[in-house]
Amino acid sequence: MSLPFSTPPSTATASLTPFQAAIPKAKLIELETLLKLAKFAPPTYENSLTDRRYGVTTDWLVTMRDQWLRSYHWKSTEDRINSFPQYLTEIEGLTLHFVGLFSEREDAVPILLLHGWPGSFLEFLPILQKFREEYTPETLPYHLIVPSLPGFTFSSGPPLDRDFGTGDIARVLDQLMKGLGFESGYVAQGGDIGSRIARHLGVDHESCKAVHVNVVFMRKPDGMTNDHLDAFEIEGIENAAKFATLGSGYAMEHGTRPSTIGHVLSSSPLALLAWIGEKFLEWVDDPLASNDILESITLYWLTETFPRAIYCYRQNYPAPAIPASNEPRWYIHKPFGFSSFPMELARMPRSWIETTGNLVFWEQHQKGGHFAALEQPDELKADLVKFVDQVWPGITGAE
């Protein structure tokens, strides 16, 4: 029996294979064994500081390992994943996995939702859940497509025989959306790496008609001073500078030695928990539930995602780094929307964001951090709906 919201548009031309997550029992037993055998570091000054200025503490790691073994159950995650329609399709020799809620309305607006690292399609499941609770397949105003980026979770790739970056991801995803029947237009939304991919789509691909993001990676615009900024905006700039100095060591490792760190974190689930768990602790506003953290890290481990998913960081090294969003090449001339969350790692002022695109929608939130879709699903959903309702009639010529 097919799931609700699982029928693609009649205009779809892509060959789609229905998918269900099904991790072999042997992999789950291996994970449990490795966790039981994992050795912790000896006590040090650094790993005992409760403010985590030097990284995760031993106490936290021990507690999370025990929860992983005793109270977390992958089957519950697997069942939740499989409650949503999922498909596999082939594009440029890659197998691409996506979760989709398809509407039966002919006027439904296609929306592409893009995650980053250390995220996955799991980030958007709370938003999808809210949409399917609010609507039926007959009334849903949108088609919601959440791909696993190449190299992440159930998607294959990136290719082994050539370089591959955010521009390549955008090209593949544009083909996905066209293959699903959305060649006449779709909206892209993204955070983290997904925001860069969304910008590629908005700038380089005609079928992407509008872009909404919740982070922009950029330099200070030329000729602009801080005189007009308020204290909240200056705080955001200062926090971004602090992160670049004290919080970006992981990114340098990903970008300069992806092979080495890939081997290291593929050898131990406890190591993966420390490396990724730190981000789920530090990059949020209110703490995430332990179960949410374990869910994401378990998915990464069971699908061997980490070493396959950090390739985009190589674009930043060696200098010069990947072009900043405020360079003329990357200006979004199409309708551009932005949702600002206070604990975002690179929270830039509106006046700066306006230099990177045709900003027609802006919303400043009081809560939320880097994982906005997971932390504040109601707010991000509401912003996306308002943005699409604002820009789509003008794009399509509808009244």
Side-chain angles (χ1 to χ4, degrees):
M1 182 178 177
S2 62
L3 294 170
F5 304 100
S6 63
T7 304
S10 59
T11 52
T13 58
S15 177
L16 303 178
T17 302
F19 176 81
Q20 291 269 284
I23 300 298
K25 186 175 181 180
K27 276 198 169 186
L28 298 174
I29 293 174
E30 178 189 62
L31 170 58
E32 182 179 5
T33 301
L34 290 172
L35 282 172
K36 288 178 177 177
L37 293 175
K39 182 180 179 181
F40 293 94
T44 65
Y45 171 74
E46 293 86 359
N47 66 32
S48 64
L49 294 181
T50 57
D51 62 6
R52 298 196 307 272
R53 77 182 74 167
Y54 296 119
V56 295
T57 65
T58 301
D59 285 346
W60 181 84
L61 203 56
V62 170
T63 299
M64 290 293 285
R65 194 278 302 263
D66 290 346
Q67 289 185 30
W68 208 350
L69 284 170
R70 296 172 184 170
S71 60
Y72 172 75
H73 302 288
W74 167 254
K75 186 63 167 60
S76 296
T77 298
E78 196 170 77
D79 289 345
R80 187 165 74 96
I81 291 171
N82 289 336
S83 73
F84 293 89
Q86 300 170 83
Y87 295 90
L88 300 179
T89 190
E90 300 290 323
I91 300 176
E92 294 188 8
L94 304 178
T95 298
L96 201 66
H97 163 265
F98 70 92
V99 182
L101 293 186
F102 291 109
S103 172
E104 295 179 10
R105 288 176 50 165
E106 291 187 3
D107 63 345
V109 181
I111 302 176
L112 180 66
L113 300 167
L114 301 169
H115 67 79
W117 186 94
S120 70
F121 70 91
L122 288 178
E123 284 183 68
F124 288 106
L125 294 190
I127 288 179
L128 296 190
Q129 175 66 22
K130 292 178 183 299
F131 274 113
R132 72 178 180 180
E133 290 174 351
E134 184 176 353
Y135 297 102
T136 67
E138 295 79 19
T139 62
L140 180 65
Y142 318 101
H143 300 290
L144 299 156
I145 309 300
V146 186
S148 295
L149 301 183
F152 286 76
T153 67
F154 300 114
S155 287
S156 69
L160 298 178
D161 59 351
R162 65 184 188 276
D163 200 5
F164 196 82
T166 48
D168 299 295
I169 299 173
R171 184 182 67 252
V172 168
L173 295 181
D174 182 65
Q175 291 179 59
L176 170 67
M177 295 301 279
K178 291 176 180 176
L180 293 177
F182 308 138
E183 188 164 2
S184 62
Y186 62 86
V187 176
Q189 196 289 325
D192 193 76
I193 294 168
S195 71
R196 285 181 170 173
I197 298 167
R199 187 169 290 271
H200 273 283
L201 288 166
V203 171
D204 292 337
H205 297 276
E206 179 60 30
S207 292
C208 180
K209 301 299 185 181
V211 173
H212 178 278
V213 299
N214 40 281
V215 66
V216 169
F217 301 99
M218 63 180 299
R219 300 187 307 265
K220 182 177 181 179
D222 292 340
M224 187 171 287
T225 70
N226 290 352
D227 295 342
H228 66 292
L229 301 180
D230 61 29
F232 180 74
E233 292 173 319
I234 292 174
E235 178 189 54
I237 297 170
E238 291 174 346
N239 287 344
K242 182 179 179 181
F243 173 78
T245 302
L246 300 177
S248 62
Y250 79 96
M252 183 173 291
E253 182 71 17
H254 288 188
T256 62
R257 292 296 184 269
S259 176
T260 302
I261 193 62
H263 283 300
V264 169
L265 298 189
S266 295
S267 67
S268 167
L270 189 68
L272 188 68
L273 173 61
W275 192 262
I276 294 180
E278 176 189 274
K279 310 312 172 194
F280 284 121
L281 289 174
E282 292 189 354
W283 295 357
V284 298
D285 195 338
D286 292 332
L288 294 174
S290 296
N291 201 73
D292 288 338
I293 297 175
L294 292 173
E295 187 173 70
S296 288
I297 293 170
T298 304
L299 179 64
Y300 262 49
W301 179 264
L302 294 175
T303 57
E304 300 181 320
T305 285
F306 180 82
R308 303 185 297 122
I310 56 174
Y311 56 94
C312 289
Y313 287 88
R314 291 188 285 102
Q315 292 178 252
N316 292 331
Y317 304 94
I322 187 171
S325 296
N326 51 324
E327 292 188 3
R329 159 77 172 90
W330 297 109
Y331 187 90
I332 298 174
H333 293 274
K334 299 167 183 175
F336 175 43
F338 193 88
S339 294
S340 180
F341 293 89
M343 292 301 291
E344 175 56 63
L345 304 176
R347 175 167 57 82
M348 298 294 137
R350 177 172 182 166
S351 57
W352 291 24
I353 302 293
E354 287 174 336
T355 68
T356 75
N358 175 28
L359 189 69
V360 299
F361 177 91
W362 171 276
E363 191 70 47
Q364 177 66 59
H365 294 281
Q366 302 304 308
K367 298 286 292 183
H370 186 66
F371 303 101
L374 191 59
E375 296 177 65
Q376 301 291 332
D378 285 313
E379 287 74 9
L380 188 61
K381 172 180 176 286
D383 286 1
L384 191 56
V385 167
K386 286 190 286 186
F387 174 67
V388 171
D389 288 352
Q390 175 184 326
V391 304
W392 193 256
I395 291 171
T396 59
E399 294 297 328

